[in-house]
Amino acid sequence: GMLVPLRRVPWSPTFGLQRIDGPPCLHPRCVPFRPLLVLALVAPQSAQPRNVLRRFRQVSRAQVELRESVLELSAESAELVEQVIAGLNEACTSVKGTISGLQRQIRDPSEAELWISRGNALLQVTQQWYPGMTEVEAPDYSRLGDDGLPLSMTVELNPKKHFKENAKLCFKQASKITKAIEKCTPLLKAQEEELQRWKAELTKVEGLRQKIDAAAMRKLYEELCEQRYIRRPKPKKVEIKVEESKEMKWKRKYGKDVDRFLSPSGLEVLAGRSASANERVSFELTLKDALWFHTANGIPGSHVTIRAPASEVSEQDLEFAAAIAAWHSKAKDKLWAPVMYCNGHQLRKPARRRTGQVQVSGNYRQLDVRLMEL
């Protein structure tokens, strides 16, 4: 035979034989112009295989994320359950302590009756009382003998109080016992009910570790937190960083009572505004080879220093620092102010001095500053 080209047909999802119409066979034995029927085995083709693979990857990623979220949720739920169990145990322990305290306060009602009978017996005593008496035989009318007479009872006494005063003490003790019974009995009953409730909740939570009702567990957690059986985690403090200004930086560096200036050459000039600030400027901030300024002739004023070696100080810086010392003094209202200056190693602390007082050893130099030009 001869090879005949086949025409393409639409894709079919079924796998099997397909009928394909071909051109007429040109073999001399075949009937002319008779269509050739060809049976071909057609395999099903995958429609858009790349999209299907992409969808499979998306589904797999979603499954992984869901599994991770379930694990995180289960870990969080397990932690919540452990906190609730610890809170329930703490609640049971606390309520048990309260119950034991209430039980100690509730005494037998017969004790109150005994104190009342002692007080009544003391009121019937005819014996003469004397200081230091510790006990007395008194008739007990709550108990009668075969002859119909009251039996005697021994009553302990306060040796400093009379029979009637001891009787009042007995009635007061009986009243305390009765009031404690009336007040603590309902409280004891309420605490016992609360203890039973916490025990039931504890048994329930321990039995349902695997099947957790998140809403109910959260509600129980909040209730335990309100009653302070569980301590809430403290919220993290958010630190707000505020940009510190240059002035605040210098205040923190030198002190709030120390003023800072810049000389014409850009050197730092410091001046104290109080006695303690002057003390700090003179003995802490003044360098040994730096210049120190103060108004001369005993005029009170600020201590001023240039934070640089004297060899680096220009004439303009010198006049600038002297003007600051003159302005921060009692002579600022005058026309001229004398200002002396020396090196930092010449400063001494005089004996029996006040804060801010300085003694200069050796020679010093002096400038006259014209204040009207400042």
Side-chain angles (χ1 to χ4, degrees):
M2 59 181 302
L3 296 177
V4 180
L6 301 179
R7 294 199 307 270
R8 294 182 179 180
V9 296
W11 173 82
S12 175
T14 59
F15 185 90
L17 296 176
Q18 298 284 333
R19 181 177 180 272
I20 302 177
D21 295 334
C25 183
L26 302 179
H27 197 273
R29 294 182 180 179
C30 296
V31 180
F33 305 104
R34 183 177 178 177
L36 176 65
L37 298 179
V38 180
L39 294 179
L41 187 63
V42 181
Q45 300 179 3
S46 175
Q48 300 179 352
R50 295 183 180 178
N51 295 338
V52 173
L53 183 59
R54 188 182 298 111
R55 189 177 306 167
F56 174 75
R57 290 176 179 174
Q58 292 176 355
V59 171
S60 301
R61 190 180 298 109
Q63 289 178 351
V64 171
E65 293 176 355
L66 178 61
R67 188 180 300 110
E68 291 177 354
S69 63
V70 169
L71 291 176
E72 293 178 359
L73 181 61
S74 61
E76 182 179 357
S77 301
E79 184 180 358
L80 179 63
V81 169
E82 295 300 329
Q83 290 180 355
V84 170
I85 290 176
L88 290 173
N89 288 324
E90 179 67 22
C92 293
T93 304
S94 178
V95 173
K96 286 179 181 178
T98 305
I99 289 174
S100 62
L102 291 173
Q103 288 175 347
R104 287 193 297 268
Q105 296 182 35
I106 298 176
R107 300 168 68 177
D108 192 354
S110 61
E111 293 186 22
E113 296 177 359
L114 179 60
W115 283 107
I116 292 175
S117 62
R118 288 175 181 175
N120 292 329
L122 288 175
L123 294 177
Q124 302 298 327
V125 174
T126 58
Q127 184 180 348
Q128 184 67 28
W129 176 83
Y130 59 88
M133 185 179 292
T134 57
E135 60 181 19
V136 66
E137 292 290 334
D140 185 7
Y141 286 92
S142 61
R143 298 183 301 162
L144 300 177
D146 296 337
D147 54 357
L149 296 177
L151 300 176
S152 63
M153 65 183 305
T154 303
V155 181
E156 295 182 357
L157 300 175
N158 186 343
K160 297 182 180 181
K161 296 184 181 295
H162 196 266
F163 293 138
K164 291 185 178 180
E165 294 177 349
N166 278 283
K168 288 181 180 179
L169 293 178
C170 292
F171 293 142
K172 185 176 181 180
Q173 187 67 23
S175 176
K176 285 183 178 180
I177 295 174
T178 305
K179 289 181 180 179
I181 293 173
E182 294 176 353
K183 184 178 180 180
C184 296
T185 300
L187 295 177
L188 178 62
K189 184 178 179 181
Q191 291 296 319
E192 289 177 347
E193 292 177 355
E194 185 175 0
L195 178 61
Q196 294 299 325
R197 174 172 171 263
W198 291 133
K199 286 184 176 180
E201 292 287 350
L202 180 60
T203 305
K204 182 179 178 182
V205 172
E206 288 181 346
L208 298 177
R209 284 179 179 267
Q210 303 299 330
K211 299 179 181 179
I212 301 173
D213 187 357
M217 197 66 59
R218 177 61 61 178
K219 183 177 180 181
L220 185 59
Y221 174 82
E222 294 295 336
E223 183 178 359
L224 291 170
C225 288
E226 289 178 1
Q227 298 191 22
R228 297 185 179 181
Y229 294 129
I230 295 179
R231 292 184 179 181
R232 295 180 184 272
K234 294 183 179 180
K236 297 182 179 179
K237 294 182 179 180
V238 179
E239 296 182 357
I240 302 176
K241 295 184 179 180
V242 180
E243 293 185 1
E244 192 176 21
S245 61
K246 292 184 179 180
E247 183 179 359
M248 293 300 296
K249 288 181 180 179
W250 300 125
K251 292 291 183 184
R252 180 167 50 83
K253 181 178 179 181
Y254 297 124
K256 63 179 181 179
D257 290 338
V258 177
D259 290 338
R260 174 181 175 272
F261 305 90
L262 289 179
S263 68
S265 300
L267 302 178
E268 286 185 342
V269 180
L270 305 180
R273 290 192 289 110
S274 63
S276 59
N278 288 335
E279 182 91 5
R280 176 172 170 77
V281 169
S282 299
F283 298 107
E284 295 182 19
L285 301 178
T286 300
L287 305 177
K288 296 298 182 181
D289 56 345
L291 295 179
W292 179 85
F293 299 81
H294 193 275
T295 47
N297 301 335
I299 301 175
S302 297
H303 298 191
V304 180
T305 183
I306 301 177
R307 293 276 295 175
S311 58
E312 300 179 4
V313 178
S314 63
E315 189 69 23
Q316 293 180 346
D317 297 335
L318 187 68
E319 294 176 356
F320 180 81
I324 290 176
W327 181 257
H328 290 78
S329 69
K330 297 292 184 180
K332 67 178 182 179
D333 296 331
K334 297 181 180 180
L335 181 61
W336 292 87
V339 177
M340 54 85 62
Y341 63 95
C342 64
N343 292 331
H345 62 82
Q346 297 179 247
L347 303 179
R348 301 287 186 272
K349 293 183 180 181
R352 298 181 182 180
R353 68 185 185 90
R354 292 182 297 177
T355 303
Q357 288 186 337
V358 176
Q359 181 179 1
V360 178
S361 63
N363 298 326
Y364 60 86
R365 288 155 287 181
Q366 182 171 328
L367 286 176
D368 292 329
V369 180
R370 184 178 178 84
L371 292 170
M372 297 299 294
E373 297 179 356
L374 299 179

